[in-house]
Each structure stands twice: as C-alpha cells, then as structure tokens.
Amino acid sequence: MLDKERILSGFRTLSLQHRVEIIDRVDSTNKRAKELLSQINANDCIVIATEQTLGRGRLNRTWYSPKGGLYFSMIIKTDTRVKSCALYGLMAACAIHEALKVEIGLQTHLKWPNDLLVDTRKLSGILSELVVQGQNEGSNFVILGIGINVNTLTEEFPEDLREIVTSIRTERGCDTPLEDLLVAIVSRIDWWLQTDPSLTKVFYVYNKVCGTVGSEVLIELPEMTIQGLAKGIDEYGHLLVQDVSGRTHMLDFGDVVYLRSM
Ligand code: BTN
C-alpha cells in the first residue's frame, strides 16, 4: 500500500493544494477520476492506485497494471487559452522524462505523442481525456492518466508483452519508492501549470526532447499509411511528417513506427 503521509508531505511545498485519493485496487484511475468529477468539485484531485484491474491505454488498448507500478490520474481544469488538449499529455510526457533523468538518472526516449521508452521498450504511457461539463468552455477538465512500470520485473508481464516493455527496476536493478517518483512528477506538472498555464511553451520544450523528431517514420491511420521524415511538432501538438513527394502531413493521433533503429 502507498504511504499517504509521505505523499502529502512531498506535496506540502507545492503551490497547488491537491486532494489525494489512494485506492488499493480499482478498475481504472481515469474512470474513478471521472466519477469524482461528476460528484464533487474535484479540481486538483489526484487518484492513485496500487493496482488496476482494467487499466486503459490509448487507442482503446489495455494497460497492464499489477502491484509495483505507479498508476495515477490528475484532474486539471483546462485553461481556455490552451490551443489543444493534446498539449496536456505532451507537457506531462516532458515532466516524466525530466523527473526520471534528474531524480533517478534514467534516460528515456520520448516517442510522440506520449510514450516513454528505454531503447525500444515501453516504460510509461499517458492517457489524457477531455471531460466537457455543461456548455461553458471554461468548465472543461482534462484527466491526465499516467502509468509507469516501476518495481515490476519484465519477466512478470504476460508473455505477449515481455519483449516490448521494460520497468525502472529492470533498468536500474533496484526498487524506486513510488511515493517519491509521484511527487517528483506531480511537482513538475504543477510547475508547468503555474508558470505557463496556456501551455504555449510546451511545443518548444517537447520538440527538443522528443526522439521522434528527425526520424524516418511510418504511421498507419485507419484510411492510409504515411511514411516520411518527422519534422517536428506544431503548437497544437500535431506531428508534422514530410513524405517523399515533399507534402507535409499534420497528424493528431496514430502509432509511430521507426523505419531505422534509433
Ligand atoms: C498508453 O500508453 O496507452 C497510455 C497508458 C495509460 C495508463 C494509465 S495508468 C493510470 C491511468 N488509468 C488508466 O486506466 N490508464 C491510465
């Protein structure tokens, strides 16, 4: 079970006063966060679970969530100046990337839109969902769901995932306190929300750290496949891919496949 006092004392120095709900076992922290939003004024709430039974991923996938991982969802009131809600996910990816590097010396590869990999194996993913409340744009929320394989071992994952995932424990060879990692990430997300609430600077920072930028990529969309050079991310968070004919495609979702090894 997570140590709530350790988390709260880590949050004490932050300017945002988060309310924290810790659950031992839940289907999905994003789902629980949506329930909270429908019941109470849940702005700045964080739902954390020791384990998820129906963890959800992007593009209707599942997120395997046994004990030992970090699974949490932050409820954030959106700022009407933010050009696209996707920017919240990109900002969180930058925050996790930096927290892992600074706090535990783990260098990750940030793959658009918000996967964190070590070499080619996935360590962390983000599912951000927009919740529209009423007709007023000023009362929309983003649920930022973050999953990180922390103290699980790759061998403990189901066979079909073993070759494509990794964990901090696998990479470092030792355990990492979940509470400290959570505080390190949330404090960086808070810093962004406080200093750049319109998220205008996210695309500068993201372009610098994202490993997809400058790579030859292939992206399969429902109606077509796009192949070309990933030129960068625009201020909405779209990935700009230039194909061989010189045409630039502006993508807002999809799975990137690298055509050369990273
Ligand atoms: C992905 O890479 O597909 C995104 C995975 C996101 C998983 C996290 S774990 C906490 C939160 N609750 C969920 O059900 N999903 C997100």
Side-chain angles (χ1 to χ4, degrees):
M1 188 70 182
L2 290 149
D3 181 344
K4 188 166 184 176
E5 200 31 58
R6 188 161 170 168
I7 294 171
L8 292 179
S9 86
F11 284 172
R12 229 157 259 151
T13 52
L14 304 181
S15 40
L16 284 177
Q17 287 311 303
H18 296 283
R19 273 173 291 161
V20 173
E21 179 174 278
I22 298 180
I23 315 171
D24 206 19
R25 199 164 200 248
V26 72
D27 45 4
S28 153
T29 55
N30 269 35
K31 188 162 166 262
R32 174 65 190 146
K34 278 188 212 159
E35 277 167 19
L36 281 179
L37 255 182
S38 66
Q39 291 160 4
I40 54 165
N41 172 14
N43 192 20
D44 296 333
C45 269
I46 303 183
V47 181
I48 313 156
T50 310
E51 120 183 69
Q52 294 184 123
T53 52
L54 270 176
R56 295 169 46 235
R58 277 197 326 121
L59 308 173
N60 280 329
R61 296 185 183 128
T62 52
W63 182 260
Y64 182 61
S65 318
K67 279 197 179 92
L70 181 59
Y71 317 109
F72 67 100
S73 301
M74 297 178 71
I75 300 175
I76 300 169
K77 196 172 208 299
T78 58
D79 185 300
T80 48
R81 293 163 296 173
V82 174
K83 286 196 166 134
S84 152
C85 277
L87 293 171
Y88 285 98
L90 303 189
M91 175 272 286
C94 292
I96 302 170
H97 177 83
E98 195 197 64
L100 292 173
K101 188 168 78 183
V102 174
E103 306 296 332
I104 58 174
L106 184 63
Q107 185 65 50
T108 51
H109 172 100
L110 209 169
K111 183 176 164 195
W112 182 86
N114 33 37
D115 285 354
L116 285 109
L117 318 178
V118 177
D119 299 324
T120 54
R121 291 163 177 265
K122 185 150 165 172
L123 180 89
S124 170
I126 300 168
L127 175 67
S128 61
E129 300 183 278
L130 178 68
V131 177
V132 177
Q133 282 196 333
Q135 287 163 352
N136 177 1
E137 216 198 314
S139 53
N140 294 342
F141 291 85
V142 157
I143 298 186
L144 207 48
I146 295 175
I148 307 179
N149 304 325
V150 184
N151 298 324
T152 32
L153 277 175
T154 312
E155 300 92 273
E156 291 160 14
F157 280 77
E159 219 173 307
D160 57 326
L161 294 176
R162 264 175 232 163
E163 293 300 312
I164 54 172
V165 299
T166 189
S167 67
I168 298 180
R169 173 145 179 235
T170 303
E171 299 301 326
R172 288 180 92 195
C174 63
D175 277 355
T176 303
L178 297 175
E179 296 85 352
D180 299 354
L181 185 59
L182 172 81
V183 171
I185 294 168
V186 171
S187 51
R188 284 169 170 85
I189 292 176
D190 267 19
W191 177 87
W192 266 105
L193 296 173
Q194 295 285 302
T195 55
D196 182 24
S198 53
L199 301 185
T200 11
K201 297 191 185 75
V202 168
F203 93 105
Y204 289 114
V205 176
Y206 190 89
N207 266 301
K208 277 194 206 142
V209 294
C210 177
T212 309
V213 176
S215 305
E216 290 285 339
V217 296
L218 183 141
I219 292 143
E220 273 178 21
L221 299 175
E223 72 289 1
M224 68 192 295
T225 299
I226 290 166
Q227 188 173 329
L229 177 67
K231 302 285 281 183
I233 278 95
D234 70 11
E235 66 263 53
Y236 293 86
H238 298 129
L239 181 67
L240 306 173
V241 178
Q242 191 175 51
D243 67 21
V244 277
S245 74
R247 182 174 160 209
T248 299
H249 302 262
M250 218 172 61
L251 307 173
D252 55 6
F253 75 99
D255 269 334
V256 169
V257 175
Y258 291 118
L259 294 175
R260 284 183 236 288
S261 56
M262 299 181 295

